[in-house]
Amino acid sequence: MPNATITGWGKCMPPAVLTNADLATFLDTDDEWITSRTGIKERRISHVPLGELGYVSAARALACAGLEATDLDLIIFGTCSFDEQVPNMASGVQKRLGAVNAGAMDVNTACTSYLYGLTTASAMIRQGIIRNALVIGGELISPLMDWTNRNVAVLFGDGCAATVLQATDADEGVLADKLGCFGDVREILLVRGMGQRYANRGWHYGDTEWVFEGQEIFKRAVIGMSQACETVLGATGLGADGVDLVVPHQANLRIIEAVAKRAGVPMERTFVNVHRYGNMSAATVPVALVESLEDGRVKPQANLLLTGFGAGLTWSAHVVRWGARTHPLGASDVELPPLEKTALEIVRGHMAAKRGSREA
Ligand code: UT7
């Protein structure tokens, strides 16, 4: 049975930066509260639709792997903030890339969508159903945010990254995975206003209300990720000492520290970028993975522990053994269209649109 190894990686971060000070211009909050409770200093706000971020990430990941778009057998787009529900996001990437031989599906498990997609693609590669897959994790939360609610507005950001998975006979790639879900408490993280339940019932799309029981979500995040990490470390026989780098979901620095501590891995071997991007939901782990490679934190044959947590409440962990190559084979010249507004102007636009839809 072949293994599924990651041979390409690429991210696409929107350039507009929204700082904690920017948030304090319209919310009753401050940098001290946000930094001490979450570790977040700034986040990105996209000036383009999610499909654009997905396409640029995908083109970069393909070039990194040295593959042609026509080599792809499957594209998985992990997200809960799709541009349209029909048709799906993955088919848009298939079209833009010209990946005419690829099937295209979306996976929505909220913040763990990329990781559930990783399991789906790697299982299909191991079964011999496909050989080359593109797995994207992307999220554009800013148009769906309730910017009047300080409990959630300070936590999230936009972003996207993609990876290419290929069949290999080498002893590398996704070595173990564990998926889980605390469905019994699914209502403690709920976004009202997204979904057909609200259609034609006085809601306008994007006019959301967030139910977010922060402390209970925090507790469950630590329990779920720790449980999943223990399972995959046990299955591979690696143990904490065998982990070269933890690449965790980036929702809150305190959660990351608690999960690393429970896994027995010191923070020096745990990748953190939550201070620069906040919680980008499905994009957090793939963006952190790409940046781990860019920063030289992933060595050939390194054992990586990926773990995530999100609405549902879904959770997961993967052990990924890296291959010999930690540098891209090539680069793509695809870029985002130029930015014409500041992050604060984009957010104020979302707030005005929401007020407009409420008054209509
Ligand atoms: O990826 C999805 C998973 N999401 C997560 O993993 C998030 C998990 N939860 C958390 O990260 C934390 O629970 C939060 C960061 C959301 C909140 O931290 P906390 O230490 O649990 O704070 P808290 O909810 O206990 O709130 C403490 C106080 C409250 O005021 P009172 O009632 O004590 O007077 C809040 O109203 O902080 C207040 N508060 C704020 N103050 C300033 C809440 N949000 C803010 C804010 N600025 N943005």
Side-chain angles (χ1 to χ4, degrees):
M1 202 187 282
N3 283 322
T5 190
I6 299 177
T7 59
W9 53 93
K11 68 175 184 193
C12 179
M13 294 304 300
V17 176
L18 189 74
T19 63
N20 290 348
D22 289 332
L23 285 165
T25 64
F26 62 89
L27 279 174
D28 180 15
T29 191
D30 54 62
D31 177 56
E32 204 283 318
W33 191 96
I34 303 170
T35 306
S36 62
R37 302 292 177 119
T38 71
I40 301 167
K41 298 298 267 183
E42 58 189 44
R43 69 287 293 144
R44 300 296 175 95
I45 303 295
S46 184
H47 64 298
V48 294
L50 179 60
E52 197 71 34
L53 302 181
Y55 165 60
V56 175
S57 307
R60 291 176 179 168
L62 268 184
C64 173
L67 278 191
E68 298 297 328
T70 48
D71 295 328
L72 289 174
D73 304 309
L74 180 68
I75 298 171
I76 297 182
F77 203 128
T79 189
C80 62
S81 53
F82 20 72
D83 294 332
E84 275 115 15
Q85 202 163 346
V86 180
N88 68 10
M89 295 297 303
S91 59
V93 175
Q94 195 245 30
K95 178 179 175 181
R96 293 283 300 274
L97 289 176
V100 292
N101 300 314
M105 65 190 273
D106 290 0
V107 169
N108 172 14
T109 56
C111 302
T112 58
S113 299
Y114 166 79
L115 295 162
Y116 270 59
L118 185 66
T119 288
T120 308
S122 57
M124 288 172 77
I125 288 173
R126 280 198 293 264
Q127 288 301 314
I129 300 166
I130 58 170
R131 287 192 66 79
N132 302 322
L134 181 72
V135 185
I136 305 167
E139 217 81 73
L140 215 151
I141 297 174
S142 58
L144 302 166
M145 178 46 66
D146 177 357
W147 289 105
T148 63
N149 181 351
R150 69 177 184 175
N151 292 317
V152 285
V154 305
L155 301 178
F156 291 90
D158 302 333
C160 192
T163 53
V164 171
L165 268 83
Q166 291 189 254
T168 178
D169 293 326
D171 185 21
E172 62 188 47
V174 180
L175 299 188
D177 36 14
K178 171 67 188 166
L179 308 181
C181 180
F182 297 132
D184 57 328
V185 284
R186 65 194 287 275
E187 283 81 14
I188 69 174
L189 206 181
L190 170 67
V191 184
R192 294 204 179 100
M194 295 166 72
Q196 56 88 11
R197 189 170 189 163
Y198 306 94
N200 305 317
R201 286 176 176 81
W203 288 79
H204 293 267
Y205 203 87
D207 185 7
T208 56
E209 267 178 31
W210 289 58
V211 177
F212 194 88
E213 293 182 24
Q215 291 188 1
E216 189 57 27
I217 298 168
F218 188 116
K219 262 188 254 166
R220 296 282 186 150
V222 175
I223 294 168
M225 285 191 279
S226 302
Q227 200 171 305
C229 288
E230 196 182 326
T231 303
V232 294
L233 290 180
T236 51
L238 273 186
D241 290 346
V243 176
D244 296 299
L245 190 68
V246 185
V247 184
H249 179 46
Q250 312 276 324
N252 184 321
L253 180 60
R254 291 185 294 144
I255 295 178
I256 296 171
E257 286 169 345
V259 170
K261 191 172 175 194
R262 285 199 183 197
V265 181
M267 286 303 287
E268 298 79 66
R269 286 192 274 129
T270 302
F271 189 83
V272 175
N273 63 4
V274 68
H275 51 292
R276 288 192 290 132
Y277 301 136
N279 182 350
M280 300 180 288
S281 183
T284 59
V285 173
V287 169
L289 179 60
V290 172
E291 296 198 341
S292 302
L293 284 144
E294 289 170 348
D295 294 357
R297 304 271 310 261
V298 180
K299 307 290 178 210
Q301 266 73 53
N303 291 315
L304 309 182
L305 177 62
L306 316 185
T307 186
F309 181 82
L313 300 174
T314 59
W315 41 272
S316 65
H318 294 72
V319 169
V320 176
R321 178 166 301 146
W322 207 258
R325 181 169 56 81
T326 55
H327 297 287
L329 285 177
S332 164
D333 55 7
V334 171
E335 292 288 346
L336 287 179
L339 176 68
E340 278 157 4
K341 289 180 179 165
T342 65
L344 199 49
E345 285 166 347
I346 301 171
V347 167
R348 288 195 184 280
H350 291 318
M351 291 166 81
K354 182 167 174 160
R355 273 197 305 276
S357 74
R358 285 206 167 161
E359 284 155 17

